[in-house]
Amino acid sequence: MLFDELNLPEQILRAVADMGYEETTEIQQKAIPVMLSGRDLVGKSNTGTGKTAAFGIPAIALMQRDKKGVQTLILCPTRELAMQATGEIRKFAKYMPWIKPCAVYGGASMELQIRELKRGANIIVGTPGRVMDHMRRGTLKLDGLSLIILDEADEMLNMGFREDIETILHDVPEERQTALFSATMPPPIMAITKQFQRDPELIKVESKARTVDGIEQSYFEVPMGRKTDALRLLMTAFEPALAMVFCNTKKMVDELTEALVSAGYKAAGLHGDMKQASRTQVLSAFKTGRINILIATDVAARGIDVEGVDMVFNYDLPQDNEYYIHRIGRTGRAGKSGRAYSIISGRKQFYELRDISKFIKTDIPREELPDRNEIIARKTERFSEKLAAAVESGKYSAFRSQVEKLCTEEVTAEDIAAALLGMRLSKDMKNIPEITGLSRREYRDTSATRESGSRGRRGKTVKVEISAGRSNSLAPNFVLGALVEATGMPGKSFGKIDIYDRFTTVEVPEADKEHVLDAMSGVKINGQRVTVKAYEGRGERIEDDRRRGSGRRSKPVPGGRPRARSGRGRPGYENRRKG
Ligand code: ADP
Ligand code: MG
């Protein structure tokens, strides 16, 4: 449907056309007429389907020119979203200068906001906490309010705004229109709807709407502990214009950001613990392309709409299937194509991804990490093309004499050019880590597993204790088999296995300790259900024959298996600093 076919004032149609919108999206087509009719409304539709316009356009059309005071209040979960929505509303109201939107959110000057409110703001877009602040101080008067909109309502509840929202809904005039928009409809939303809306019209745009269409999805499986390397490799190979990378924790965002920045990428992190000023800075750097990799948590990135995000990476798989849709919806915005990649390690994540794939009813195919030589060849070729164009243009011919000076009987112009090319590509080459040693047998690629030279670098190990030992007839190969089976990690990642009479200790990479404990809980070894915990050391050594593991492990791994450096005073500061 075209916007022209909706019953909208001419000024709005002109503004919408200026923005390049022609066709309505499904939620817009369904929600705008209901909003215009004055009815309450619940709108469920995925991220990226144009909800802002679905409520913003009718909100503006409903404004009355002669009325004084605030007529419309829009609540958003975050400052970024409030700012974004305010920007959109300004654009819709471009030809209606008497409409004065004002954003109010925490972390910014109260004074400035008060001044702006006093200047006759009539549409307020804000976060619940700050809106309440202003209401309490009397700097925001809502007694003339006729429309209230809850945007991203589910997220507002997730962020703990429930009470604030209820207070606000209590305090605004009863004779009003209430519209609620959300990507998901958990029970607490329905409760709010019941309590604060009057016979709302329910508009649902089915889940697999536009977000997933047009986004090519695939996944890479990498060995445990190699996700950061894999990401570096992919960034180098794919050269995204703008990429978003999702992690599940703030700590991971920080760590990954640091890793990428120190590897020379233009990356920055975004999460809820950052000061407002630096969040705004990061976002604007990303929007303008000064940084091209944004690493974020779900909450920080929720609803953020940046044009031209061509790739989304799931560094961690989302904890909630719906989040997968929100995440990959950051790319392929408004009908453009995009790519979404998930990086997984181990069988647990493999099954999680399969679950997501079922949920979105879309196949997510596996892809091989691009081959190192291939990447270098492609980069060389791309650069050679640029080089050829530069030669052709004659732009740099002034440097000829310098090159001639460098040439001798032994050194030809080819040698010099080769050195230049190598220097130019060396940073990229450094960022193409060798990733070998994939664990899961079904997927093992023999050519890729041959080498495992980098293994020795893997660093610290710790011991875990399994609650069964020789008295349960345990042998190292049973233990190793169970470990590989349960964790999905390659057998080589486990170090020494010491079988005592009643328990067994295993050296595991420190970074994987939690995963091992998690994956091994309740597992059966040799018919015996075991518990596994961190090994705290024991005085009594009931038996100490230090049997090595199965035959497979008896060959020393090149680079030397990390022997536990137990007892040595390494506090593990590298890992703990971020805390
Ligand atoms: P949501 O709130 O559902 O996540 P947004 O309102 O942020 O989605 O809109 C997503 C993107 O789609 C924005 O860049 C917006 O400008 C664009 N958009 C919205 N509606 C249309 C439309 N009818 N035609 C073209 N682009 C649109
Ligand atoms: Mg939105």
Side-chain angles (χ1 to χ4, degrees):
M1 186 188 246
L2 299 173
F3 279 96
D4 299 359
E5 299 170 51
L6 293 165
N7 202 0
L8 291 165
E10 176 275 331
Q11 296 102 308
I12 295 182
L13 290 177
R14 234 191 313 150
V16 168
D18 286 355
M19 293 169 76
Y21 296 7
E22 287 167 12
E23 295 257 348
T24 57
T25 66
E26 196 175 339
I27 186 74
Q28 290 162 2
Q29 178 184 336
K30 290 181 173 163
I32 292 175
V34 178
M35 293 271 300
L36 290 176
S37 78
R39 251 190 96 170
D40 281 5
L41 157 92
V42 176
K44 175 181 185 291
S45 178
N46 279 328
T47 303
T49 52
K51 290 193 288 294
T52 318
F55 61 74
I57 289 173
I60 286 168
L62 288 166
M63 294 283 287
Q64 294 174 27
R65 187 167 188 162
D66 315 317
K67 222 171 120 180
K68 285 236 174 328
V70 176
Q71 299 178 42
T72 299
L73 173 64
I74 301 166
L75 295 176
C76 302
T78 65
R79 307 132 185 184
E80 282 84 9
L81 287 177
M83 277 154 66
Q84 202 166 284
T86 313
E88 295 256 305
I89 299 230
R90 277 211 178 94
K91 287 189 204 158
F92 299 139
K94 182 173 164 191
Y95 298 109
M96 303 163 98
W98 53 272
I99 291 184
K100 297 203 169 74
C102 171
V104 300
Y105 42 81
S109 155
M110 201 82 186
E111 295 308 310
L112 283 179
Q113 287 174 3
I114 291 173
R115 225 176 298 158
E116 207 181 333
L117 287 171
K118 277 190 185 147
R119 247 180 271 137
N122 45 17
I123 296 192
I124 308 299
V125 187
T127 52
R130 183 56 70 102
V131 165
M132 274 215 333
D133 262 7
H134 282 290
M135 284 166 71
R136 272 203 222 98
R137 287 173 184 231
T139 44
L140 176 59
K141 292 199 187 65
L142 298 177
D143 35 329
L145 196 79
S146 48
L147 171 62
I148 182 162
I149 295 160
L150 313 184
D151 185 22
E152 312 264 5
D154 52 349
E155 197 57 25
M156 287 200 281
L157 295 188
N158 284 346
M159 294 179 68
F161 282 136
R162 187 187 182 136
E163 270 182 39
D164 292 359
I165 291 171
E166 287 177 353
T167 310
I168 295 169
L169 286 171
H170 263 300
D171 288 358
V172 295
E174 218 167 301
E175 275 305 309
R176 53 137 211 272
Q177 185 182 2
T178 308
L180 181 153
F181 287 83
S182 193
T184 62
M185 282 294 155
I189 299 254
M190 302 318 283
I192 289 204
T193 291
K194 240 194 178 141
Q195 194 180 348
F196 294 103
Q197 288 191 304
R198 236 180 302 172
D199 183 28
E201 170 126 8
L202 187 64
I203 297 175
K204 260 192 196 168
V205 174
E206 269 328 307
S207 208
K208 227 192 94 183
R210 16 191 93 213
T211 32
V212 188
D213 298 344
I215 300 171
E216 273 184 70
Q217 304 166 62
S218 56
Y219 76 93
F220 297 97
E221 193 183 23
V222 305
M224 288 279 171
R226 302 301 303 276
K227 282 193 178 183
T228 306
D229 284 344
L231 189 66
R232 274 169 52 201
L233 183 145
L234 292 172
M235 290 293 179
T236 305
F238 296 162
E239 298 182 344
L242 289 180
M244 284 185 80
V245 182
F246 285 94
C247 301
N248 287 350
T249 63
K250 296 165 189 165
K251 185 165 174 262
M252 196 62 238
V253 168
D254 281 338
E255 285 176 7
L256 187 58
T257 304
E258 193 178 307
L260 289 190
V261 168
S262 61
Y265 292 95
K266 295 186 290 171
L270 190 75
H271 60 63
D273 281 355
M274 290 162 59
K275 288 249 165 61
Q276 175 56 26
S278 46
R279 284 165 56 148
T280 310
Q281 234 170 26
V282 164
L283 257 179
S284 87
F286 186 59
K287 281 182 179 162
T288 55
R290 257 182 296 127
I291 58 153
N292 71 329
I293 304 173
L294 184 69
I295 303 161
T297 56
D298 288 293
V299 169
R302 181 66 182 273
I304 283 174
D305 179 43
V306 176
E307 228 173 280
V309 173
D310 51 346
M311 293 179 207
V312 167
F313 293 84
N314 291 310
Y315 184 92
D316 293 320
L317 286 180
Q319 281 148 339
D320 180 317
N321 286 346
E322 284 269 3
Y323 277 159
Y324 181 84
I325 297 176
H326 300 313
R327 287 182 177 188
I328 74 169
R330 312 295 89 216
T331 183
R333 302 291 271 183
K336 283 200 200 113
S337 68
R339 303 232 36 165
Y341 303 102
S342 297
I343 305 174
I344 65 166
S345 291
R347 79 163 46 199
K348 194 165 161 244
Q349 292 177 9
F350 173 75
Y351 289 121
E352 280 171 20
L353 187 67
R354 231 180 39 177
D355 202 45
I356 291 172
S357 167
K358 276 191 207 144
F359 176 76
I360 59 170
K361 301 190 185 81
T362 306
D363 190 38
I364 305 176
R366 180 176 198 268
E367 248 187 275
E368 294 297 330
L369 286 174
D371 177 68
R372 188 166 199 272
N373 295 327
E374 213 176 280
I375 298 172
I376 295 170
R378 215 162 24 171
K379 291 213 170 269
T380 310
E381 192 180 323
R382 235 176 281 160
F383 185 63
S384 306
E385 277 164 21
K386 280 194 215 157
L387 205 58
V391 171
E392 180 115 358
S393 75
K395 256 201 305 205
Y396 302 105
S397 53
F399 290 99
R400 276 193 70 115
S401 59
Q402 307 283 336
V403 177
E404 276 158 20
K405 266 190 246 160
L406 289 172
C407 291
T408 63
E409 259 158 47
E410 285 95 52
V411 181
T412 64
E414 280 91 353
D415 295 330
I416 295 167
L420 275 176
L421 193 60
M423 283 161 74
R424 169 65 207 243
L425 293 174
S426 66
K427 186 183 116 198
D428 281 345
M429 280 157 69
K430 252 200 350 251
N431 273 323
I432 309 176
E434 201 90 49
I435 298 180
T436 56
L438 197 51
S439 57
R440 297 189 27 254
R441 210 164 293 133
E442 312 89 284
Y443 290 137
R444 187 175 289 164
D445 170 350
T446 41
S447 67
T449 44
R450 234 179 291 130
E451 283 183 340
S452 56
S454 58
R455 185 148 293 279
R457 285 198 278 113
R458 267 273 233 104
K460 298 192 54 156
T461 62
V462 292
K463 283 190 181 181
V464 299
E465 178 186 308
I466 300 173
S467 66
R470 179 151 313 121
S471 59
N472 311 91
S473 314
L474 230 56
N477 56 333
F478 293 157
V479 177
L480 186 67
L483 284 163
V484 169
E485 163 89 0
T487 62
M489 292 163 62
K492 281 189 220 138
S493 21
F494 302 101
K496 206 146 63 73
I497 298 177
D498 287 335
I499 301 198
Y500 299 91
D501 202 24
R502 298 187 179 282
F503 67 96
T504 299
T505 63
V506 185
E507 279 179 6
V508 305
E510 185 175 48
D512 297 319
K513 185 183 103 185
E514 291 307 327
H515 170 67
V516 172
L517 294 180
D518 195 37
M520 286 294 289
S521 74
V523 161
K524 275 188 181 171
I525 308 181
N526 200 21
Q528 169 89 16
R529 199 172 294 286
V530 298
T531 58
V532 182
K533 59 182 184 184
Y535 179 62
E536 283 156 356
R538 301 198 177 193
E540 18 75 273
R541 294 209 132 185
I542 301 162
E543 201 164 353
D544 188 4
D545 63 2
R546 291 177 192 243
R547 251 188 241 180
R548 300 285 308 182
S550 64
R552 190 143 53 108
R553 293 164 358 92
S554 59
K555 278 181 247 119
V557 179
R561 271 268 356 107
R563 293 277 183 132
R565 292 192 244 171
S566 49
R568 285 306 200 85
R570 303 251 331 198
Y573 60 90
E574 317 98 304
N575 297 321
R576 217 143 288 160
R577 192 170 36 136
K578 284 266 137 55

